[in-house]
Amino acid sequence: MLIIDRIEGEFAVCETEDGEKRDLPASLLPDGAREGDVLDERDGGYRINFEETERRRAGNAGRLSRLLRREGRE
């Protein structure tokens, strides 16, 4: 599993489950892939894991909301 951290030109900088960074040629990304997407390696290529991507995005949104409430910004 890889998480797209950012896309820089011809490479996607991804993070592994262990927190390591890995550069992946952008040409290997599935159509529509963007920052924050979770990728699974399958059949020699990559596919977006939509369920895990959404779970992580929802968790991040919840953490941000709690942080803003705690700081009185919401």
Side-chain angles (χ1 to χ4, degrees):
M1 177 176 78
L2 296 173
I3 300 122
I4 302 173
D5 181 59
R6 63 188 179 277
I7 299 173
E8 296 181 342
E10 296 182 17
F11 289 93
V13 178
C14 300
E15 187 174 321
T16 67
E17 291 178 87
D18 300 329
E20 295 179 27
K21 297 290 184 185
R22 182 170 155 196
D23 291 341
L24 185 69
S27 61
L28 296 180
L29 295 177
D31 289 340
R34 60 190 177 113
E35 294 173 357
D37 283 347
V38 176
L39 303 176
D40 290 330
E41 192 169 3
R42 293 219 180 129
D43 303 322
Y46 295 91
R47 296 177 59 165
I48 298 171
N49 182 328
F50 292 102
E51 185 176 300
E52 182 64 16
T53 296
E54 183 55 36
R55 187 188 73 73
R56 287 175 176 265
R57 284 197 173 121
N60 289 337
R63 282 189 287 283
L64 178 59
S65 179
R66 287 189 299 278
L67 176 65
L68 292 175
R69 265 196 312 270
R70 195 171 37 215
E71 293 183 3
R73 294 185 182 181
E74 249 188 357

